[in-house]
Amino acid sequence: MKREDGSASIVVAAIVAMVVVLALGTADVARVLAAAGRAQTAADAAALAAAQELAIPSARDPQGVAAEYAGRNGGVLVDCVCASGTFEAIVEVRVDVGDLLLFDDGRSVVAKARAVVAARGA
């Protein structure tokens, strides 16, 4: 009887374990990238809404409008630089990533966006 009987099954088990870890890591990366996309969409929408409120006021607070649009897109408004009398809105939005398989939970991604309303001469 050879002493190497069974060594192939150890190698196969190690390869299977590595493939499983790589698959879990890939799923986590995909989840983070999806959250980053949602965060950027929410930031873009919030910045555009705040800039529109600055350009065409409707008696609503631009920061409140930005927070509403960030929330509609799954984000939370972290910061809004949208001073009255200007036509520029800079926002920062946070989106939670959700449960991850290999890494700690409770992670979030942050996205920033800037929108400017420029008047063009006719």
Side-chain angles (χ1 to χ4, degrees):
M1 183 158 33
K2 294 183 179 180
R3 296 191 140 248
E4 294 178 11
D5 289 348
S7 64
S9 53
I10 292 174
V11 171
V12 169
I15 290 173
V16 168
M18 286 181 9
V19 168
V20 167
V21 169
L22 284 173
L24 294 175
T26 302
D28 283 352
V29 168
R31 187 174 297 233
V32 169
L33 290 175
R38 285 193 315 272
Q40 191 60 57
T41 299
D44 291 342
L48 288 169
Q52 180 176 343
E53 186 61 34
L54 290 169
I56 307 170
S58 68
R60 293 181 65 193
D61 177 36
Q63 187 166 354
V65 173
E68 176 186 336
Y69 274 81
R72 286 182 183 182
N73 287 283
V76 175
L77 185 68
V78 175
D79 188 29
C80 179
V81 179
C82 43
S84 296
T86 65
F87 296 108
E88 176 183 45
I90 303 169
V91 301
E92 186 173 326
V93 173
R94 184 185 80 242
V95 171
D96 293 330
V97 173
D99 296 336
L100 296 176
L101 301 171
L102 288 181
F103 301 102
D104 296 335
D105 294 337
R107 294 181 184 258
S108 60
V109 292
V110 176
K112 293 182 181 182
R114 175 178 177 253
V116 179
V117 176
R120 294 185 184 250

